[in-house]
Amino acid sequence: MPSPTSDVQADAAIIRRVAEGDARACRQLVDELLPAIVGFSYRMLGDGGAAEDVAQEAFLRLWCQAPKWRAAARVTTWLYRVAHNLCIDRIRARRDVPVADVPEVADPADGPLIHRHRREVSELVDAAIAGLPERQRVAITLVHYQELGNLGAAAVMEISVEALESLLARGRRALRNTLSKQRRDLLGDLK
Amino acid sequence: MTERRTMDIARAHQLLDAYGADPACWPAAERIALSEFIAESPEAARVRARAATLDHVLNQAGTYAPSDRVRAQILAAAPIRSDDWLDGMRAAFGSLWRPAAVLAFSLVVGIGLGIMNPVFEPEDEEIALLVLGPGWDETQ
């Protein structure tokens, strides 16, 4: 497994290529990281268009930052941190965040009942996550959905691993309570 | 790396409550110890099963994939140097090159066939056959 230092150095090398105007380096970064940043922002905002706006802004800041990049953090961490701050700004600007209003693409193999069931479950889970306190939502999104690992998630949130674990445990407990109350019929009991 | 701790039922509870049932999400420094502990402790295995149920429900959440439009906009704003413009165009509009090439090829083939084949002037009967299909005159 590469060490964190070598990861940071490898990232610094690709950012140097970006600063030199290397199209392939830009494309590589976008292809590797755009889905993750959009996915994270979507989970935070519950709106696909807003998530894309946030991701675009984060990448534009990365392009501007490239010439003065210091090898102190991974690009992933940096981008998540920028996206996180942009999402928090948007959430605070409009307190009632619409959730899951993006139409889901149906799998043609599914019957309409199965598709409707899945959509209902998905909307309930989205709503439960959206109802979490901000920092618990960030922690669960980074660890569960983005699979960033405890060190990466703590670095993005600029908190200790212990604080991250506390946020995760409280967030998961709240989700279990909410979902077991709401979806007894559809999902069965969450123990 | 996080500090290695002694694994006991209290720590197993903490880890499973925080990170869920998937070992990939567990702290790397404690992953093996927790796996071994769960294999030996029925209580830890029960806590893990409960965490897995919640993980399964959380995995039903909606997802969103970035559009080609936002990818192209981000790449169009990238600081790509002017002598790398062709690669840059490919980066931003890569998905359009293949359909464009197919269209150009089709055009060339069409023009070629038009030049090589003799002029075809169908008779009235042939036009009716093409438009109305076989049996058009059966109703006459």
Side-chain angles (χ1 to χ4, degrees):
Chain A
M1 185 191 282
S3 72
T5 312
S6 68
D7 286 338
V8 168
Q9 295 302 330
D11 281 4
I14 194 169
I15 289 292
R16 204 173 307 120
R17 286 170 54 207
V18 168
E20 289 164 0
D22 183 332
R24 282 187 190 156
C26 297
R27 190 174 54 221
Q28 183 185 335
L29 277 179
V30 171
D31 288 344
E32 283 177 6
L33 300 178
L34 178 62
I37 299 301
V38 168
F40 167 75
S41 306
Y42 173 70
R43 181 74 42 230
M44 291 298 298
L45 299 170
D47 178 321
E52 288 196 346
D53 289 346
V54 163
Q56 186 170 0
E57 175 65 26
F59 271 95
L60 293 188
R61 291 188 188 187
L62 180 63
W63 301 152
C64 292
Q65 186 67 23
K68 41 196 172 170
W69 185 264
R70 287 182 302 135
R74 295 216 59 186
V75 177
T76 322
T77 308
W78 190 92
L79 272 175
Y80 271 122
R81 200 175 287 161
V82 171
H84 167 250
N85 291 337
L86 291 168
C87 287
I88 297 296
D89 288 347
R90 281 177 179 246
I91 289 168
R92 289 179 183 164
R94 53 177 180 105
R95 272 293 169 189
D96 54 336
V97 182
V99 175
D101 51 0
V102 176
E104 191 183 337
V105 179
D107 184 339
D110 292 346
L113 282 178
I114 293 174
H115 177 62
R116 195 180 69 185
H117 171 83
R118 282 188 183 157
R119 196 181 60 232
E120 284 173 0
V121 174
S122 165
E123 285 173 1
L124 279 162
V125 177
D126 286 347
I129 294 167
L132 287 175
E134 205 171 274
R135 291 173 73 72
Q136 291 177 20
R137 191 181 345 153
V138 175
I140 285 181
T141 301
L142 291 173
V143 172
H144 184 84
Y145 291 104
Q146 306 305 125
E147 298 179 351
L148 218 52
N150 60 340
L151 300 179
V156 170
M157 296 182 72
E158 299 180 276
I159 58 176
S160 67
V161 169
E162 288 74 19
L164 175 78
E165 284 184 7
S166 172
L167 287 169
L168 287 170
R170 281 185 282 145
R172 286 177 63 94
R173 202 175 306 130
L175 286 172
R176 183 179 294 118
N177 289 339
T178 306
L179 291 167
S180 63
K181 274 181 211 156
Q182 292 184 347
R183 298 316 299 166
R184 204 171 287 265
D185 292 339
L186 274 172
L187 307 174
D189 280 352
L190 285 172
K191 294 169 190 162
Chain B
M1 276 298 152
T2 48
E3 178 190 343
R4 283 176 194 274
R5 304 182 195 184
T6 309
M7 190 57 62
D8 54 22
I9 191 65
R11 183 60 184 150
H13 260 284
Q14 282 177 348
L15 289 171
L16 293 165
D17 286 349
Y19 297 102
D22 182 0
C25 294
W26 298 346
E30 296 177 278
R31 195 171 294 148
I32 293 172
L34 180 57
S35 295
E36 290 173 353
F37 189 80
I38 289 169
E40 293 168 2
S41 163
E43 186 183 346
R46 187 183 56 75
V47 175
R48 187 191 184 186
R50 187 182 67 169
T53 308
L54 181 60
D55 285 349
H56 174 73
V57 175
L58 293 182
N59 289 340
Q60 314 295 312
T63 55
Y64 188 88
S67 63
D68 289 343
R69 181 191 55 83
V70 75
R71 180 182 180 276
Q73 285 174 343
I74 290 169
L75 286 170
I80 295 167
R81 62 174 180 264
S82 55
D83 61 341
D84 216 5
W85 68 272
L86 188 61
D87 205 16
M89 289 293 285
R90 228 177 268 132
F93 303 106
S95 58
L96 295 179
W97 282 73
R98 260 179 243 168
V102 170
L103 188 65
F105 178 74
S106 307
L107 193 64
V108 169
V109 169
I111 292 170
L113 285 174
I115 291 169
M116 292 173 69
N117 280 355
V119 177
F120 175 65
E121 291 179 354
E123 299 294 328
D124 287 347
E125 193 174 326
E126 288 171 319
I127 291 172
L129 187 66
L130 283 169
V131 173
L132 301 172
W136 65 276
D137 58 346
E138 288 171 5
T139 56
Q140 301 297 307

